[in-house]
């Protein structure tokens, strides 16, 4: 190992025009946003919604969330995925929490398939925020995948009493399956973050 | 799936989630996770990531002296920033998307929530992006950002800096950081910069280079970035 890692620094409060410009109304194209699929993307169309909460339970309105996921067949749009990627679905989403009146992030996507033998469907997620000097990794699992969740190799490494923090609850009120995933940065119900 | 895992995040290089110092980075107190991170074995979910190439950026995306012009040139000292993106093993990282954003020469962000009363420059946007070439090299032009006050403590000023966001080859190599300028007296007073373990801080300070400097046009700075590298030690299983 010849070189040392470049240190992380907070994304700060002013990332929006650089990283999520279209969402916030700035004149620059976004490389990714909350619309991860399009109308023709194969698979079950779903919505992911959530908030980021600080140690006092206050919503964080200047966080940025990124998600990375497989397509409905569990394939990643990446050359290292030996199953061949789905060129129509990149699987990257990015949303700031500063444009929704309730400071929610929202992703319209497809439900991912299982990406590997024994692995429950999940979405990888990174939290960035002012006040977060290094980014934090977590995963979204799905409440309606109880059987797969029970044998997932990553979930099984999480202490049983904390697993619920990784499981998005489902409502169908909006007509599309909607999974709620609140992220607690601190506190009794602190979300499990991973040393990836 | 045969892709080799990445070395862990080196916590002797990165700032901790909650700044432990009484006079540190205050807003980390309620936002940084406090429970131990749960280690996981990297799977295909972490070993893959979004793929970019030169068609991912527009013609003016890498020139912040031009991409915000309305009726003239932006004010301030023109700079060119270049460097290589490498991994810990010294391997160049090609086709890596780099997104940058920064304040203008007066220390004002175009962001709507920036309340600092320094002037907006109508000809400067402050955001852009570029992609590394086959040797991991990137390059963009900009205006040297000004320092600006913030509310962390009385008379707190952020040093001149440019925000960088990189993906690298996988979701595991994601990095968001800030590049600083050499000789800035505010560095020693900045709790965000000094929240980095001391031995690692200088890695975020660019080098001035007369060789990179473009005659009659822009001062040159070199800033190399090192992302996590793949673990080259043989695995027992």
């Amino acid at each position: 190992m010849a070189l040392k890692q470049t240190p992380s620094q907070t994304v700060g409060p002013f990332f929006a025009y650089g990283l999520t410009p279209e969402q916030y109304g700035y004149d620059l194209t976004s490389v990714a946003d909350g619309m991860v699929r399009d109308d023709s993307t194969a698979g079950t169309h779903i919505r992911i919604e959530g908030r980021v909460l600080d140690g006092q339970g206050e919503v964080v309105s200047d966080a940025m969330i990124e998600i990375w996921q497989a397509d409905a067949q569990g394939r990643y749009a990446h050359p290292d995925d030996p199953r061949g990627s789905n060129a129509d679905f990149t699987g990257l989403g990015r949303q700031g929490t500063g444009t929704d009146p309730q400071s929610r992030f929202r992703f319209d996507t497809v439900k991912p398939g299982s990406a590997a033998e024994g692995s429950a469907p999940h979405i990888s997620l990174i939290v960035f925020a002012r006040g977060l000097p290094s980014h934090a990794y977590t995963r979204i699992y799905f409440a309606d995948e109880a059987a797969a969740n029970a044998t997932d190799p990553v979930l099984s490494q999480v202490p049983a009493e904390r697993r619920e923090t990784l499981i998005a609850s489902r409502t169908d009120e909006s007509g599309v399956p909607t999974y709620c995933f609140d992220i607690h940065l601190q506190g009794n119900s602190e979300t499990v973050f991973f040393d990836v | 799936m045969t892709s080799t895992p990445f070395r862990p995040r080196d916590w002797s290089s990165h700032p901790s989630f909650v700044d432990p110092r009484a006079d540190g980075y205050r807003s980390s107190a309620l936002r940084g996770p406090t429970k131990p991170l749960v280690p996981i074995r990297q799977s295909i979910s972490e070993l893959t990531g979004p793929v970019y190439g030169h068609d991912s950026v527009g013609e003016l995306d890498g020139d912040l002296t031009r991409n915000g012009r309305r009726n003239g040139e932006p004010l301030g000292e023109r700079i060119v920033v270049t460097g290589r993106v490498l991994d810990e093993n010294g391997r160049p990282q090609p086709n890596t998307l780099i997104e940058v954003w920064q304040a203008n020469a007066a220390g004002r962000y175009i962001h709507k929530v920036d309340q600092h009363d320094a002037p907006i420059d109508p000809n400067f946007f402050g955001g852009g992006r570029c992609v590394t070439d086959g040797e991991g090299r990137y390059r963009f032009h900009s205006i040297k950002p000004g320092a600006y006050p913030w509310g962390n403590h009385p008379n707190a000023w952020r040093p001149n800096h440019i925000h960088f966001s990189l993906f690298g080859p996988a979701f595991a190599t994601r990095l968001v950081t800030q590049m600083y300028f050499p000789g800035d007296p505010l560095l020693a007073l900045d709790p965000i910069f000094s929240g980095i373990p001391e031995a690692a801080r200088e890695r975020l300070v660019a080098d001035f280079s007369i060789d990179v400097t473009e005659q009659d046009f822009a001062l040159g700075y070199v800033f190399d970035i090192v992302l996590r590298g793949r673990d080259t030690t043989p695995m027992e299983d």
Side-chain angles (χ1 to χ4, degrees):
Chain A
M1 186 166 59
L3 302 171
K4 296 280 198 183
Q5 291 172 19
T6 297
S8 173
Q9 293 276 261
T10 178
V11 76
F14 304 130
F15 62 81
Y17 68 92
L19 298 182
T20 52
E22 290 178 47
Q23 180 194 346
Y24 285 72
Y26 294 101
D27 186 20
L28 180 71
T29 55
S30 294
V31 298
D33 56 26
M35 183 55 75
V36 185
R37 60 165 178 82
D38 61 31
D39 288 346
S40 64
T41 305
T44 305
H45 291 193
I46 64 168
R47 174 170 284 182
I48 309 272
E49 271 180 359
R51 300 170 300 166
V52 180
L53 300 132
D54 73 10
Q56 291 182 329
E58 300 289 329
V59 292
V60 174
S61 61
D62 53 8
M64 185 181 85
I65 304 298
E66 282 180 356
I67 61 167
W68 171 244
Q69 67 165 96
D71 70 8
Q73 295 180 60
R75 300 176 302 181
Y76 283 95
H78 189 279
D80 281 356
D81 191 323
R83 292 159 297 187
S85 66
N86 175 352
D88 296 329
F89 183 76
T90 64
L92 179 74
R94 182 190 273 176
Q95 274 269 284
T97 59
T99 59
D100 179 78
Q102 295 171 55
S103 301
R104 287 172 300 189
F105 57 86
R106 176 179 296 134
F107 295 101
D108 287 302
T109 183
V110 294
K111 192 163 181 196
S114 171
E117 180 83 29
S119 170
H122 64 270
I123 293 175
S124 298
L125 185 151
I126 302 180
V127 186
F128 303 89
R130 174 179 68 84
L132 209 50
S134 294
H135 57 278
Y137 286 94
T138 186
R139 283 184 173 194
I140 304 172
Y141 286 87
F142 299 92
D144 51 11
E145 297 283 350
N149 292 343
T151 57
D152 181 82
V154 169
L155 270 183
S156 62
Q157 286 175 56
V158 175
E161 68 277 11
R162 297 191 66 201
R163 279 178 207 156
E164 280 301 312
T165 69
L166 300 178
I167 297 175
S169 59
R170 174 172 169 172
T171 65
D172 291 352
E173 285 166 20
S174 57
V176 58
T178 299
Y179 295 88
C180 176
F181 189 75
D182 282 348
I183 297 163
H184 296 264
L185 295 172
Q186 293 182 355
N188 291 336
S189 47
E190 181 177 312
T191 298
V192 168
F193 297 103
F194 294 113
D195 200 4
V196 165
Chain B
M1 185 60 202
T2 53
S3 187
T4 311
F6 292 92
R7 294 175 190 281
R9 277 210 272 181
D10 172 11
W11 291 104
S12 71
S13 293
H14 301 296
S16 56
F17 286 127
V18 174
D19 193 329
R21 302 167 299 172
D23 56 352
Y25 181 26
R26 211 177 58 191
S27 57
S28 71
L30 287 172
R31 292 188 168 192
T34 59
K35 297 191 193 315
L37 299 180
V38 174
I40 59 172
R41 190 190 181 101
Q42 293 163 21
S43 73
I44 192 169
S45 305
E46 291 76 35
L47 293 167
T48 55
V51 176
Y52 294 100
H54 278 282
D55 54 355
S56 307
V57 295
E59 188 191 352
L60 289 183
D61 283 0
D63 190 348
L64 283 68
T65 71
R66 293 170 67 200
N67 72 3
R69 285 191 197 182
R70 286 191 195 157
N71 56 13
E73 289 207 49
L75 294 173
E77 191 175 284
R78 282 187 295 252
I79 58 173
V80 52
V81 180
T82 185
R84 295 179 83 193
V85 181
L86 305 163
D87 71 7
E88 288 167 278
N89 305 311
R91 295 196 181 103
Q93 302 294 295
N95 297 317
T96 285
L97 181 72
I98 301 181
E99 296 164 278
V100 296
W101 69 104
Q102 62 165 86
N104 69 20
R108 177 74 185 265
Y109 286 89
I110 204 162
H111 196 293
K112 291 156 190 156
V113 305
D114 186 359
Q115 298 297 312
H116 181 33
D117 69 357
I120 293 276
D121 183 338
N123 292 305
F124 189 71
F125 179 70
R129 55 179 78 106
C130 53
V131 172
T132 57
D133 68 13
E135 295 177 321
R137 242 175 261 286
Y138 72 91
R139 178 185 191 85
F140 65 92
H141 286 89
S142 192
I143 296 291
K144 188 173 182 185
Y148 59 87
W150 63 307
N152 191 71
H153 56 272
N155 208 13
W157 292 77
R158 291 299 329 278
N160 307 330
H161 64 277
I162 299 176
H163 295 267
F164 276 64
S165 163
L166 298 93
F167 279 95
F171 214 48
T173 56
R174 189 82 175 87
L175 178 72
V176 169
T177 189
Q178 300 178 27
M179 183 203 98
Y180 300 95
F181 289 84
D184 190 334
L186 292 170
L187 285 172
L189 304 171
D190 181 48
I192 293 181
F193 176 70
S194 62
I196 302 165
E198 189 169 3
R201 284 176 205 159
E202 288 303 312
R203 292 175 217 158
L204 291 188
V205 181
D207 291 320
F208 169 73
S209 168
I210 195 68
D211 296 328
V212 168
T213 295
E214 296 175 12
Q215 184 164 343
D216 300 329
F217 187 71
L219 291 172
Y221 291 90
V222 175
F223 180 54
D224 290 336
I225 297 164
V226 179
L227 303 178
R228 292 165 65 178
R230 296 193 192 266
D231 194 342
T232 51
T233 56
M235 302 274 284
E236 284 183 37
D237 50 1

